[in-house]
Amino acid sequence: MWRSSKRGQSQVTCIACGDDVPRSDAREYDKFGDRWDRQGKEFEYLCKPCDRDRCHQPRGDLEALLEDVESNTVGTGRDAFLATYLELTEGRDSVGDR
Ligand SMILES: [Zn+2]
């Protein structure tokens, strides 16, 4: 029962760039991270380019920061890890403590 497939339900909108893409071409994005529990949920969609971008940077720069800290504190204890972490985060301008 295919009708002509322009617009209508077969088209979804990418939440990242706002492009309309065919639903079959889009990736489902569930903000709750559980794609299998579908009841009462509305999925959001990403187009493929945006989905690829998302995979490259899953958590902003937190992972990179933690790696930095780790490599600076190899062989030292937990205190050193935390101290280095604080040092690095304090140097970032997003920490606005007057
Ligand atoms: Zn997109």
Side-chain angles (χ1 to χ4, degrees):
M1 282 202 343
W2 287 113
R3 301 169 182 220
S4 71
S5 61
K6 47 179 178 176
R7 298 264 134 195
Q9 288 194 329
S10 56
Q11 238 12 34
V12 295
T13 303
C14 169
I15 56 172
C17 68
D19 268 6
D20 284 340
V21 290
R23 184 169 170 159
S24 57
D25 239 20
R27 300 291 168 87
E28 280 179 348
Y29 174 73
D30 178 12
K31 53 190 168 218
F32 302 106
D34 182 4
R35 298 168 65 157
W36 311 116
D37 179 15
R38 308 179 73 89
Q39 272 199 330
K41 275 196 196 171
E42 237 175 72
F43 284 94
E44 296 172 295
Y45 294 91
L46 289 166
C47 67
K48 280 181 183 170
C50 289
D51 186 61
R52 223 178 296 129
D53 282 354
R54 186 171 71 91
C55 290
H56 284 168
Q57 299 182 337
R59 296 281 152 91
D61 53 0
L62 179 62
E63 305 284 343
L65 175 69
L66 288 177
E67 268 172 35
D68 254 19
V69 176
E70 222 164 60
S71 64
N72 279 329
T73 54
V74 179
T76 60
R78 189 164 162 268
D79 287 348
F81 180 91
L82 289 177
T84 307
Y85 177 82
L86 287 177
E87 218 172 273
L88 287 177
T89 49
E90 262 165 26
R92 288 143 63 92
D93 48 15
S94 59
V95 184
D97 200 10
R98 302 169 187 208

